[in-house]
Amino acid sequence: MGSGNFLGHFMPGIFFIGFGTFFLLLILTRCRTLAIDNNKKSGTKVGYCDVHLPERNLDLLCRLGGLMMVCSIGGFFGEALSALSYGASFFHLLPHQAMYASFLFAGVVVYLEGRRWIFPEASRIAATLAFALNYILWNEHALMKKEMADQRVHSLQAQINLC
């Protein structure tokens, strides 16, 4: 079966690119706004962490948590349907499904934090746990590859989770 099918790699790629791009743009926008506000003030300057940690925009957390849950569930079942389409079992791509499950967990925690049902910054802990689990899964996935190029690509995907 080689390195898998296109859909099984395209869906997580889009998920990670979207996830990373959103947060990068959010942080850059907030830093720019903070720099402009600090330039207008004289005296004490406020830092990014003073303003945005813990996350104060609870609506953003709820929406982001919901989106993460929907994308993760979609990815989980997308992987299952992909396996079923070529005659394998529902859990044939269980390592891929475990990656989605870890982000489903993180999405639930983000949503719960947005509703103030759990402590502030729990979402950062859950995201760190999801990325650590994804590193372990990608790294083990890379080690089982026979072709060196395929092994290297999956190894790099594992290392990206540590950034």
Side-chain angles (χ1 to χ4, degrees), residues 21-31 48 55 60 64:
T21 302
F22 172 78
F23 278 105
L24 178 63
L25 293 175
L26 178 66
I27 290 168
L28 291 175
T29 302
R30 286 178 168 182
C31 285
Y48 183 87
E55 180 62 55
L60 172 69
L64 183 62

Side-chain angles (χ1 to χ4, degrees), residues 134-148:
N134 275 269
Y135 166 76
I136 293 167
L137 289 168
W138 277 114
N139 191 53
E140 292 302 314
H141 193 50
L143 294 174
M144 69 181 229
K145 297 295 183 180
K146 292 182 182 4
E147 296 176 18
M148 289 304 292

Side-chain angles (χ1 to χ4, degrees), residues 80-94:
L81 293 175
S82 175
L84 290 172
S85 72
Y86 55 81
S89 74
F90 187 84
F91 293 108
H92 179 71
L93 296 172
L94 189 58

Side-chain angles (χ1 to χ4, degrees), residues 7-74:
L7 188 61
H9 290 90
F10 179 76
M11 285 175 32
I14 292 299
F15 177 78
F16 282 116
I17 288 170
F19 187 83
T21 302
F22 172 78
F23 278 105
L24 178 63
L25 293 175
L26 178 66
I27 290 168
L28 291 175
T29 302
R30 286 178 168 182
C31 285
R32 180 172 169 77
T33 303
L34 191 59
I36 291 169
D37 291 347
N38 276 336
N39 285 336
K40 290 179 183 176
K41 295 179 190 174
S42 61
T44 307
K45 308 283 186 191
V46 288
Y48 183 87
C49 294
D50 299 326
V51 177
H52 297 294
L53 296 180
E55 180 62 55
R56 289 170 178 85
N57 187 342
L58 300 179
D59 186 50
L60 172 69
L61 285 175
C62 285
R63 289 174 188 253
L64 183 62
L67 182 63
M68 286 175 68
M69 288 187 284
V70 167
C71 289
S72 297
I73 290 169

